[in-house]
Amino acid sequence: MPTVYLGATYILLPQFDTVSYIETIEREKVTHVMMVPAQIIAMLNAPNFSVDALKSLEMILSLGAPLHLEHKEELNKRLPGRFYELYGLTEGFVTVLDKNDYAAKPNSVGIPPQFNEMKILDENENEVAVGEVGEICGRGPLLMSGYYKQPDLTADAVKDGWLHSGDMGYVDEDGFLYLVDRKKDMIISGGVNVYPRDIEEIAVQHPAVQEAAVFGIPHDKWGETPLAVIVLQEAASADPEELKDWINERVSAKFQRVQDVVIRDDFPRNVAGKTLKRVMREDYWKDKGTKL
C-alpha cells in the first residue's frame, strides 16, 4: 500500500523462488523487499546469491516471525546497513527496529512507531518493571474494530482499548522491545518456564543446521520437555543424537536440554511462510505411534 500511495513500482511474483527472486532484484534494481525469516535464510543459501546482485537494495524488512540472531548477523555481514525488523499483529499493533538502531540493539524488534503505545503486563493486568517478562500489549490508530462476528474473541483480545498479543517479551531502559516467545508455545518443565526461542538460538549456531524449531512434548516426570526439529544446510549431514548432545552442552540451564532431535527436509509452513509447530508436534507423535 505505501508503494502504491507513493507511485513507486511494485513487483508481485507468482511465488517465492530464491533464484528468480534474486534475478528479479538484480534486473529491476529493486530497492525495498519484505521477507519472512524462511525466505531470508533461503536467499542467503541460494546458489546465485551475491552482494553485487543485491547491491540495489536499501531495505530488507524481516517480518512474520522472529529471525534468529545467527541469521541476522549473517545477513548484516553480507549486506550491511539494510536490515529492518518488524514485529506486529494483523489486528493492528507493530514495532519496528530501524537499520540505524540495529548495531546497538541487535536482539530487539524495535519500538512502536509514532502514535502507537506499548506496555508489558503480567497475568493480573499489571504493568511489569523494565526488563521483566510479560505479555506484549499495544494500541494505536491501526487497531482493529474487532473480529468479524466474533464478539467473545474480540473481548478476549482487546481489553480497555489495549490489544493483548499473546506474545511474551520485555522492554529495556530505552523502551526497545525484546521478544521472548509465544505465550502458547512456552514449555513448562518441572514447574519452570522454558522459552523455545532460547534453545533455537543455540541450535542454529551448529554449522550443519539451517533452521530449528523447538516445542514441548509430554514427559512423565517433568510434565513437558523440549524437542528440537532441525532442517540441515544443503549437502550437510548430522546425527540426531550428536546434535542433541551438542545443543545440550551449550544451553544455559538443565531444564533447556532437549529430549530428542528430529531432522526434516523442511518445515510445514502456512501461506505466509510461518513455521507450523502444531503440525510438527502431531507428526512427531504419529511417527511414534502415540496419541497426543
Side-chain angles (χ1 to χ4, degrees), residues 16-19 21-22 33-50 54 60-76 78-79 83 85 197 200-201 203-213 229-234 265-267 269 272-275:
F16 180 79
D17 173 78
T18 49
V19 172
Y21 191 79
I22 291 171
V33 294
M34 296 185 294
M35 308 174 74
V36 298
Q39 293 171 329
I40 291 174
I41 295 165
M43 185 179 74
L44 288 171
N45 289 280
N48 63 333
F49 177 93
S50 74
L54 301 173
I60 302 171
L61 177 66
S62 177
L63 76 169
L67 181 64
H68 294 308
L69 184 61
E70 184 83 3
H71 300 130
K72 286 185 191 179
E73 290 181 339
E74 182 65 22
L75 177 65
N76 206 51
R78 298 200 208 177
L79 296 166
F83 179 73
E85 186 162 19
R197 190 179 174 195
E200 291 166 357
E201 291 279 9
V204 295
Q205 294 176 31
H206 190 284
V209 173
Q210 179 168 299
E211 291 186 81
V229 182
I230 301 296
V231 174
L232 297 176
Q233 298 278 6
E234 189 175 350
D265 294 333
D266 197 4
F267 293 150
R269 307 180 196 275
K274 291 184 181 180
T275 300

Side-chain angles (χ1 to χ4, degrees), residues 63-169:
L63 76 169
L67 181 64
H68 294 308
L69 184 61
E70 184 83 3
H71 300 130
K72 286 185 191 179
E73 290 181 339
E74 182 65 22
L75 177 65
N76 206 51
K77 182 174 72 175
R78 298 200 208 177
L79 296 166
R82 298 166 170 90
F83 179 73
Y84 292 76
E85 186 162 19
L86 181 145
Y87 161 74
L89 290 85
T90 307
E91 291 87 345
F93 175 72
V94 299
T95 65
V96 179
L97 179 68
D98 188 273
K99 66 179 182 180
N100 297 315
D101 294 318
Y102 173 76
K105 310 280 187 178
N107 287 303
S108 170
V109 289
I111 56 176
Q114 195 172 17
F115 308 122
N116 287 262
E117 298 175 83
M118 173 179 62
K119 58 184 179 181
I120 310 297
L121 301 180
D122 64 18
E123 62 275 9
N124 298 314
E125 301 290 312
N126 297 314
E127 196 162 358
V128 302
V130 168
E132 189 175 332
V133 174
E135 184 175 8
I136 302 163
C137 301
R139 66 181 180 185
L142 297 174
L143 189 62
M144 67 173 183
S145 57
Y147 296 112
Y148 183 62
K149 293 186 177 180
Q150 298 186 76
D152 292 343
L153 193 59
T154 301
D156 286 339
V158 182
K159 302 173 184 177
D160 296 324
W162 289 87
L163 175 67
H164 286 54
S165 69
D167 293 326
M168 307 297 286

Side-chain angles (χ1 to χ4, degrees), residues 213-267:
V214 173
F215 50 85
I217 55 174
H219 189 277
D220 290 340
K221 182 178 180 181
W222 303 114
E224 282 186 302
T225 51
L227 168 81
V229 182
I230 301 296
V231 174
L232 297 176
Q233 298 278 6
E234 189 175 350
S237 62
D239 177 73
E241 278 298 316
E242 290 177 0
L243 276 176
K244 172 183 166 181
D245 292 341
W246 190 93
I247 294 168
N248 289 344
E249 286 170 4
R250 287 163 175 79
V251 293
S252 58
K254 287 184 178 180
F255 52 77
Q256 293 177 319
R257 292 176 181 172
V258 297
Q259 179 179 329
D260 201 0
V261 168
V262 175
I263 296 175
R264 293 182 60 133
D265 294 333
D266 197 4
F267 293 150

